[in-house]
Amino acid sequence: MISEATMEEKRSAWRVLGLALSNRKTGFMLLFGFASGLPFALFLGTLYAWLTEAKVELETMGVFSLIGLAYAFQFLWSPLIDKVDIAGFRRLGRRKQWIVPAQLLIGIILLLLSFSHPSNENIGWFSLLAGIGALASATQDIAINAWRIDVADEEATIDILSTIYQMGYRLAALVGGAFGLIIAARIGWPSTYMVMGAILVAIGIVGLWAPDNDARKGSREGVLDDELLDLRKAGELEPAIRWRALAIVALLWAGAIGGVLTFMFMSLTYAPANRPNPIDFTVNWGPWIIVATVVVPALVAGWLAAQKHGGKHLLAEDAPPSTGAAYVFDHLYRALLLPLIEFVGRLGWSLVLIISLVLTYRICDAIWGTFAYPFYLGELGYTNDEVAFASKFFGVGAIILGLAIGGYMLTVLGRMLTLTIGALLAALTNLLYADLAIGGARMLALSDAIGFTWAIEQLPGGSAKLAKLTLTIGFENLAIGVAGAAFIAWLSSIVSKQYSAVQYALLSSLTLLIGTLGRGALGEMIENQGYYDVFVLTTQIGFIAVFLCLVEWARVARRDRRSGSASLAVQ
């Protein structure tokens, strides 16, 4: 028999889930998730189909790969979202002042694109519009991720908000991707982008009524000056020490931003034969940009935190308010270094574990994703229609179902257990692809046994061959949904609400690093050894993430025990 305590725990979990889903914050989170995913699909996916139909040259299309840089290096301007108010919009709220204008700007750009006709002659104007739209989209993503962390509470928990965000994002990918292609074939590309632009403008207007934890209705200068005065209280680091550290970090950030801008300028102005390759830039310079803007600043922040903890280079008494150049330096210090100092000071050496987990958790699908279509179409011989059905329609549905399961598991099982299970499932699904690589006999047998083959064969163009691919993608995407829900919730839980935009943007950018760097080596391995060995290897790599999850689970448990003991001592 099930004990009464167990039944009460289950009822409590369902009650928590019900309260979270009925909260207005959850509704806006779904809307914002959709608004975040739609531009990404339209600028980095569907737009290429429009350019292809307009007979734009492939070399000219290469300019559009620059758009992806806005998403890859969005952390470079994340300090602005945390510390800068937009004149005329700051009364909307700390995050909404960025979210709403960005959504309106993206919508307007989509509308402008709908009145443009891409061609080899006017591709410069078209590229400029798309580039500005991608920049606004990446900025919106930073602000929305920070909003999710800021507004989370005991009712609309960070776990549920993170899951709902991803559901909205995945729905938008379906609407902007597969659905966009379908309606474009019927009403044309200009009308399709006009509809999508109107949707973004409408979301921006509705977003005016979203809640925000920090309305900042007082004086902008008053709010910021109070924060700057805290830096000059007795017991804080001496300004000279802070400014030396700031000089190092500011030079590194300026160099990184300058490198990205130089690359973009060369790509837009040089002749096609002399343009730098975006993939080479990301692979060769991306790691150094991360080192310059994350690794070295984190070491500097750690040194500053150690100095303060050790009582060195501290103000003996309150210093006068900063003015002139000192005022500017204090602003920059607060924007660039304080988020890292808080992070390092709060987590200490545990930050090494956290970064290791961030780098490895999504490594399986991050590395493998680039080679999915060559595997389906080239190695296995599926058609475009079969792959579209299995990966876009059935696959997206499986991800959304996985997110729903992941959200429920977070509520019932807890964050760390769900995180660990998600890592294990994501690793094991690589073995399903390994089976496909050697013929897929086991997947076909499973499909036959559960009646899935029969169901697929009833569809137009359905076959046993399509059934085993669809089932494999379905299982993988279910695992991705569970793992994604847990990972985003965990990532959101370890950042500070005070510096959520910068800290989350930095961590999320690291999730792309290993995948980007590993693709070249993986491609060479595929050429030399074939897909089967690659899938076995990615499974083994996935087990590293499972091990790190267990270590992180133990760390969180120790922290919670210490917090509980401290609370009892105070009582």
Side-chain angles (χ1 to χ4, degrees):
M1 292 180 62
I2 300 175
S3 68
E4 187 174 335
T6 302
M7 290 297 296
E8 178 58 32
E9 185 177 340
K10 289 185 176 181
R11 284 195 295 268
S12 176
W14 280 108
R15 186 160 54 246
V16 169
L17 190 60
L19 286 172
L21 294 177
S22 61
N23 192 292
R24 65 190 291 259
K25 293 178 182 177
T26 308
F28 279 106
M29 188 73 270
L30 182 65
L31 200 64
F32 285 168
F34 187 90
S36 185
L38 190 60
F40 188 86
L42 294 174
F43 289 131
L44 292 183
T46 313
L47 195 60
Y48 286 93
W50 187 1
L51 296 176
T52 301
E53 189 174 298
K55 302 189 184 306
V56 173
E57 296 175 357
L58 289 176
E59 283 187 341
T60 306
M61 279 193 209
V63 175
F64 273 80
S65 60
L66 290 173
I67 293 173
L69 292 178
Y71 297 95
F73 298 111
Q74 59 180 266
F75 66 90
L76 292 176
W77 63 92
S78 60
L80 297 177
I81 283 75
D82 252 347
K83 296 303 177 185
V84 175
D85 287 324
I86 304 177
F89 289 93
R90 65 177 179 267
R91 292 184 180 274
L92 293 178
R94 185 185 182 194
R95 305 305 181 188
K96 282 166 55 183
Q97 66 172 329
W98 288 92
I99 294 173
V100 172
Q103 290 171 346
L104 294 176
L105 177 58
I106 297 166
I108 291 170
I109 286 175
L110 291 174
L111 292 174
L112 290 174
L113 287 175
S114 72
F115 291 107
S116 307
H117 180 73
S119 65
N120 293 305
E121 289 73 27
N122 71 345
I123 197 67
W125 167 248
F126 205 79
S127 300
L128 179 62
L129 283 176
I132 295 173
L135 184 65
S137 173
T139 302
Q140 174 198 221
D141 290 351
I142 298 170
I144 286 176
N145 284 322
W147 179 88
R148 180 183 72 246
I149 295 164
D150 290 356
V151 303
D153 54 31
E154 292 182 357
E155 188 171 298
T157 65
I158 191 64
D159 296 341
I160 297 300
L161 290 180
S162 299
T163 302
I164 294 297
Y165 166 79
Q166 291 183 86
M167 285 185 174
Y169 194 96
R170 296 293 182 175
L171 284 171
L174 183 62
V175 170
F179 184 67
L181 292 172
I182 291 172
I183 64 173
R186 288 156 178 78
I187 66 175
W189 285 110
S191 297
T192 300
Y193 270 71
M194 185 178 294
V195 170
M196 300 298 178
I199 291 173
L200 262 298
V201 170
I203 291 175
I205 295 172
V206 173
L208 291 169
W209 284 271
D212 203 328
N213 273 2
D214 179 9
R216 290 199 178 187
K217 293 182 179 179
S219 164
R220 176 190 177 207
E221 289 75 18
V223 172
L224 297 181
D225 286 346
D226 285 346
E227 295 177 358
L228 295 182
L229 284 173
D230 289 340
L231 295 175
R232 295 182 163 261
K233 290 182 177 179
E236 294 295 322
L237 289 166
E238 295 174 352
I241 294 297
R242 291 192 286 104
W243 294 346
R244 288 171 195 164
L246 174 64
I248 296 172
V249 173
L251 285 173
L252 290 171
W253 275 68
I257 294 173
V260 173
L261 292 177
T262 300
F263 169 77
M264 295 179 68
F265 175 79
M266 293 170 62
S267 299
L268 292 172
T269 58
Y270 283 23
N274 298 323
R275 287 173 187 161
N277 187 298
I279 296 176
D280 289 343
F281 176 80
T282 302
V283 171
N284 296 328
W285 289 100
W288 291 110
I289 291 175
I290 295 292
V291 168
T293 55
V294 180
V295 178
V296 175
L299 293 174
V300 172
W303 182 81
L304 290 172
Q307 297 303 299
K308 186 174 181 180
H309 182 73
K312 300 177 181 178
H313 306 295
L314 303 183
L315 291 169
E317 58 185 22
D318 291 355
S322 56
T323 57
Y327 185 77
V328 175
F329 292 156
D330 280 355
H331 271 294
L332 289 173
Y333 179 84
R334 186 198 55 173
L336 293 180
L337 269 172
L338 275 187
L340 288 172
I341 292 173
E342 191 280 336
F343 218 7
V344 174
R346 174 164 50 89
L347 296 172
W349 286 106
S350 299
L351 189 58
V352 176
L353 168 63
I354 287 170
I355 290 177
S356 300
L357 183 52
V358 167
L359 289 172
T360 56
Y361 191 83
R362 303 301 300 273
I363 191 171
C364 292
D365 50 286
I367 293 181
W368 147 244
T370 303
F371 304 100
Y373 286 111
F375 178 62
Y376 301 147
L377 301 172
E379 180 77 7
L380 301 182
Y382 285 95
T383 66
N384 287 339
D385 288 345
E386 288 173 330
V387 174
F389 169 79
S391 65
K392 297 298 182 184
F393 291 99
F394 190 85
V396 170
I399 284 182
I400 293 173
L401 178 59
L403 288 169
I405 295 172
Y408 177 72
M409 290 171 64
L410 285 167
T411 305
V412 175
L413 302 180
R415 186 181 300 137
M416 295 312 302
L417 178 55
T418 306
L419 186 73
T420 307
I421 293 173
L424 181 61
L425 292 175
L428 291 176
T429 52
N430 284 273
L431 295 178
L432 306 183
Y433 282 98
D435 180 64
L436 280 187
I438 56 174
R442 293 182 178 84
M443 290 308 300
L444 182 58
L446 175 61
S447 180
D448 291 341
I450 63 176
F452 190 76
T453 303
W454 176 86
I456 293 296
E457 287 177 338
Q458 308 312 305
L459 301 174
S463 65
K465 182 182 177 183
L466 177 60
K468 64 182 179 183
L469 174 67
T470 304
L471 190 63
T472 302
I473 291 176
F475 278 130
E476 182 202 29
N477 286 6
L478 273 173
I480 288 175
V482 173
F487 182 68
I488 299 300
W490 171 74
L491 208 60
S492 302
S493 72
I494 61 178
V495 303
S496 165
K497 286 191 175 185
Q498 187 178 3
Y499 306 107
S500 51
V502 177
Q503 291 179 355
Y504 189 90
L506 287 172
L507 288 176
S508 61
S509 69
L510 292 177
T511 62
L512 305 174
L513 181 60
I514 292 296
T516 300
L517 298 179
R519 286 169 194 157
L522 198 71
E524 185 177 348
M525 184 177 177
I526 291 173
E527 289 287 339
N528 296 333
Q529 297 177 239
Y531 281 95
Y532 178 83
D533 288 344
V534 166
F535 289 125
V536 173
L537 174 65
T538 52
T539 301
Q540 294 169 347
I541 294 173
F543 288 145
I544 297 174
V546 175
F547 171 75
L548 292 174
C549 283
L550 293 172
V551 178
E552 168 66 0
W553 192 355
R555 183 193 73 84
V556 171
R558 286 196 304 271
R559 181 202 65 190
D560 291 344
R561 282 196 299 270
R562 287 197 299 266
S563 299
S565 300
S567 299
L568 289 174
V570 171
Q571 293 174 3

